[in-house]
Amino acid sequence: MALRIGDILVKKGFTTQERLRLAVEEQQKTGEALGKILVRLKFVTERQMLESLAEQQGMLFVDIKEIHISEKAIKGVPAKFVWHYKIMPINIDNNILTLAVADPFDMWPVDDLEAHLGYKVERVLAAPSDITEAIKKYYGVGAETIESILSKEEDRSTPIEVSERENVEDLEKLAGDASVIKLVNQILQQAINDRATDIHLEHFRGEAFLRYRVDGILYDTQVSENIKYLYPAVISRIKIMANMDIVERRLPQDGRAKVRIGQKEYELRVSVIPTLYGENIVIRILPTTMLFSIADLGMSKGDDKILAEIISQPHGIIFVTGPTGSGKTTTLYACLSRLNTREVKIVTIEDPIEYELKGISQTQINPKIGLTFATMLRSMLRHDPDIMMVGEVRDVETADVTIQTALTGHLVFSTIHTNDSASGATRLIDIGVEPYLVASSVNAFIAQRLVRLICKNCKEEAPLKNGKIKIEGVNMGKEVIAYHGRGCKACNHTGYSGRTGIYEILLVNEEIRELIIRKTSSDVIKKKAIELGMRTLLQDGWEKIRAGVTTVEEIMRVTQLER
């Protein structure tokens, strides 16, 4: 006679007789299964319960994350069965299918697979959360939806090709099909669950790929290879969402869409470009509401104090510099949010508007109709602003108007693409701005980068090689404990979760102004700024290593630190 589950748990030392008695009393009140009560009351873990159930039922308990999943098993069991029953095929050998299940008492999956696929099924027990993760990993996003769509159509040996005008109507119908809509929603949902900021759909010869950008890094996302048959329909569905022309496939297109996923609304910025084998699409995911705070930027106390001082100036320009994706816009929005009161008028000119800022007048440029940064700036001055933000200084015309705006008593924020803060001044001079105008109008150049944060759930000590790192010729590695992320489910096994900034603030004082007027090189300007107390990107990054918030490798990645 098989032991009762409670007796097995006590025998294995997973719980006590007293806790078992309390759980039985709870069961008599609620009628809930004893095992669920024990897990809910945290008297045993889910793994302990499953191990005990496996022993009771004469089954093997497996950790799916630690075992090999055969490709033959994945191809042998369709996604519709796997997703419907929440099961995971492990191996197929001599027509015997080893199947991971979460419920040892549910025999429907066994009967269904044996009847429809002809296998003899042997079951092993695994944690339901591990089974779900394995399904996503091996079958990919929306695999069951893709199978469902293709099963309704004729068998395809090649991807859909839309080369004739009359085929467009068929594509429109397919793009409006409930299953295609569901597939696109699943792609969006998974991206948000994975904390992705961008979705990349790419088409090559006979292949289609899905990638998500998480914490600034692009990762391949598992998706059924059969998505290549539906790729044009998926692209058309996204185009419809973003109010694009689905017939036009020769020119780049940009659009926007607003979607609700769960309880939150998201703004989607969609960009489509034609490529050799079809159209590629990138979707930027933006929450519709964001709270911007300087305190959340990750600045040190010293830099935070310097920033507070320079944004309190009544006039002048503050340039934030750095490559695309370095968080410049977020820094500008945080500064504007700090200054946003009913006593001041703030206007912005952006390309594009990324987030809506309540109480601030935001305008998007449109070069197609002649609405550029420079033309909009001239009009904005007639709206009596106190503070202005110009999304980016790209040319001498925009730079000249921005500088004149600052010189006439306005505080102006803007961005410029340079590698460090000292290069900001030389870049303005290179595009044609007179040095004396740069020197007299700019208050500060702030260079920044984004670095990934170590995952708090799997953070562990990672001693430095030889305990030393060289930064700008200075040994700063003494008595330092570095950390890294081991990798866990919470961070998708990357070791990182979230990002913060590293900063370099160059204040334009009298000595720096003199160097700018003399057209001194950026290296000399940087050296003088360091002598005057400026902390470089590398030094700020090092302090974040010392504080245990990021890794040596991450600082090396964004600043090319030499060890």
Side-chain angles (χ1 to χ4, degrees):
M1 182 177 175
L3 287 173
R4 292 179 300 180
I5 189 65
D7 295 333
I8 295 173
L9 288 165
V10 173
K11 184 188 77 171
K12 285 180 166 291
F14 293 156
T15 191
T16 63
Q17 286 287 359
E18 176 61 21
R19 288 186 166 185
L20 184 60
R21 182 185 64 79
L22 293 172
V24 171
E25 289 178 0
E26 179 75 9
Q27 184 188 36
Q28 291 169 350
K29 296 176 186 176
T30 64
E32 191 179 358
L34 181 63
K36 290 183 178 180
I37 292 172
L38 287 164
V39 173
R40 175 166 59 80
L41 296 176
K42 297 184 178 179
F43 288 167
V44 297
T45 65
E46 182 183 55
R47 184 186 178 96
Q48 290 171 339
M49 176 57 65
L50 289 168
E51 283 184 21
S52 301
L53 270 175
E55 181 176 320
Q56 184 194 45
Q57 299 300 313
M59 298 170 66
L60 179 68
F61 176 79
V62 298
D63 185 344
I64 291 182
K65 298 191 296 294
E66 302 296 330
I67 63 175
H68 173 70
I69 308 292
S70 78
E71 187 176 346
K72 184 178 179 182
I74 302 299
K75 292 183 176 179
V77 181
K80 62 182 180 181
F81 287 104
V82 170
W83 280 104
H84 178 70
Y85 288 117
K86 297 297 187 291
I87 55 178
M88 185 64 203
I90 303 295
N91 191 35
I92 297 177
D93 187 24
N94 292 326
N95 211 46
I96 298 173
L97 170 64
T98 304
L99 188 70
V101 300
D103 184 354
F105 305 109
D106 184 6
M107 296 303 295
W108 282 107
V110 176
D111 296 340
D112 208 354
L113 290 175
E114 288 185 341
H116 287 87
L117 302 180
Y119 297 122
K120 177 176 173 52
V121 177
E122 291 185 354
R123 300 179 305 156
V124 295
L125 207 58
S129 58
D130 290 346
I131 289 175
T132 301
E133 288 300 314
I135 293 171
K136 290 179 182 177
K137 178 179 178 181
Y138 292 100
Y139 281 88
V141 179
E144 81 288 5
T145 307
I146 294 170
E147 280 190 5
S148 173
I149 297 169
L150 294 177
S151 67
K152 297 176 187 176
E153 305 174 356
E154 298 178 3
D155 292 336
R156 298 185 185 277
S157 59
T158 57
I160 300 170
E161 295 291 345
V162 185
S163 56
E164 300 294 335
R165 175 80 186 194
E166 55 264 27
N167 289 338
V168 172
E169 287 186 11
D170 295 333
L171 194 57
E172 280 183 310
K173 290 177 183 177
L174 188 54
D177 183 88
S179 297
V180 173
I181 293 171
K182 179 182 176 183
L183 175 58
V184 172
N185 289 346
Q186 287 173 327
I187 291 171
L188 290 170
Q189 179 72 69
Q190 190 60 47
I192 288 166
N193 290 345
D194 290 349
R195 300 182 297 105
T197 55
D198 300 86
I199 301 170
H200 291 244
L201 278 159
E202 300 158 314
H203 198 267
F204 299 95
R205 186 192 295 270
E207 292 182 292
F209 296 101
L210 173 64
R211 293 194 288 174
Y212 292 156
R213 187 178 294 279
V214 182
D215 292 333
I217 305 296
L218 269 175
Y219 295 98
D220 279 311
T221 300
Q222 182 66 29
V223 66
S224 169
E225 63 180 19
N226 289 330
I227 198 174
K228 64 189 176 186
Y229 301 118
L230 300 171
Y231 188 85
V234 170
I235 296 299
S236 293
R237 169 59 192 164
I238 295 169
K239 282 183 173 182
I240 290 169
M241 291 172 63
N243 294 313
M244 295 180 182
D245 182 358
I246 73 165
V247 178
E248 180 56 71
R249 295 182 296 276
R250 301 162 303 168
L251 296 172
Q253 294 189 69
D254 294 303
R256 300 175 84 100
K258 188 175 286 188
V259 297
R260 178 183 290 275
I261 298 178
Q263 298 299 314
K264 293 186 178 180
E265 282 192 350
Y266 295 87
E267 185 93 18
L268 306 181
R269 276 214 329 257
V270 184
S271 179
V272 181
I273 60 169
T275 65
L276 185 60
Y277 296 106
E279 292 176 297
N280 284 3
I281 197 163
V282 175
I283 304 171
R284 169 66 60 88
I285 304 171
L286 301 167
T288 53
T289 55
M290 282 278 286
L291 296 176
F292 294 94
S293 170
I294 289 177
D296 296 330
L297 295 177
M299 284 190 172
S300 65
K301 289 183 179 179
D303 284 346
D304 187 84
K305 184 179 178 182
I306 293 170
L307 182 63
E309 290 175 357
I310 58 178
I311 68 174
S312 65
Q313 300 296 316
H315 53 79
I317 308 174
I318 298 166
F319 277 107
V320 182
T321 79
T324 301
S326 59
K328 300 187 297 296
T329 301
T330 300
T331 299
L332 291 177
Y333 279 2
C335 292
L336 294 180
S337 296
R338 170 78 68 90
L339 298 170
N340 188 16
T341 66
R342 300 307 298 168
E343 288 75 37
V344 295
K345 169 90 169 185
I346 303 177
V347 296
T348 73
I349 311 166
E350 305 176 55
D351 182 28
I353 297 172
E354 293 200 13
Y355 297 101
E356 181 181 339
L357 298 173
K358 186 177 180 180
I360 294 177
S361 300
Q362 296 174 266
T363 301
Q364 171 143 353
I365 69 164
N366 187 351
K368 291 180 181 178
I369 60 172
L371 187 61
T372 64
F373 282 116
T375 55
M376 197 63 207
L377 255 173
R378 294 186 180 96
S379 297
M380 283 294 193
L381 288 174
R382 291 191 279 274
H383 279 250
D384 187 31
D386 299 288
I387 300 167
M388 300 183 70
M389 185 186 94
V390 181
E392 183 184 346
V393 170
R394 301 173 178 172
D395 51 58
V396 66
E397 184 184 14
T398 306
D400 281 338
V401 179
T402 302
I403 286 170
Q404 291 303 323
T405 301
L407 292 176
T408 53
H410 300 85
L411 182 63
V412 183
F413 293 87
S414 190
T415 70
I416 192 168
H417 289 281
T418 62
N419 290 328
D420 59 13
S421 56
S423 300
T426 54
R427 175 63 55 83
L428 290 171
I429 294 170
D430 288 343
I431 65 175
V433 181
E434 290 294 333
Y436 75 91
L437 289 175
V438 177
S440 58
S441 63
V442 179
N443 294 344
F445 293 97
I446 304 173
Q448 70 175 80
R449 300 288 189 279
L450 290 177
V451 295
R452 293 179 291 172
L453 295 168
I454 299 170
C455 174
K456 294 179 181 178
N457 294 294
C458 59
K459 182 178 177 179
E460 63 181 17
E461 189 174 326
L464 302 175
K465 291 180 180 179
N466 304 320
K468 296 180 180 180
I469 284 183
K470 286 187 177 180
I471 293 183
E472 296 177 344
V474 180
N475 180 4
M476 301 179 70
K478 294 180 180 178
E479 300 179 2
V480 171
I481 299 175
Y483 295 88
H484 71 173
R486 182 179 62 257
C488 65
K489 182 179 176 182
C491 63
N492 203 20
H493 303 284
T494 62
Y496 298 97
S497 181
R499 289 190 290 177
T500 191
I502 57 174
Y503 301 90
E504 177 179 289
I505 303 178
L506 190 156
L507 297 175
V508 182
N509 54 27
E510 288 303 322
E511 293 175 81
I512 299 298
R513 286 193 185 97
E514 182 62 31
L515 294 177
I516 293 172
I517 290 171
R518 298 205 314 255
K519 294 187 179 182
T520 309
S521 70
S522 60
D523 291 341
V524 175
I525 293 173
K526 183 174 183 178
K527 185 176 180 181
K528 172 55 73 173
I530 292 172
E531 289 177 7
L532 296 172
M534 182 185 79
R535 188 166 63 168
T536 66
L537 287 168
L538 294 178
Q539 289 168 332
D540 193 31
W542 176 247
E543 290 304 318
K544 286 179 169 58
I545 294 171
R546 290 173 65 96
V549 299
T550 192
T551 63
V552 174
E553 292 74 20
E554 189 66 3
I555 299 301
M556 290 173 67
R557 180 179 70 84
V558 300
T559 64
Q560 299 180 353
L561 172 64
E562 294 184 1
R563 297 183 67 174

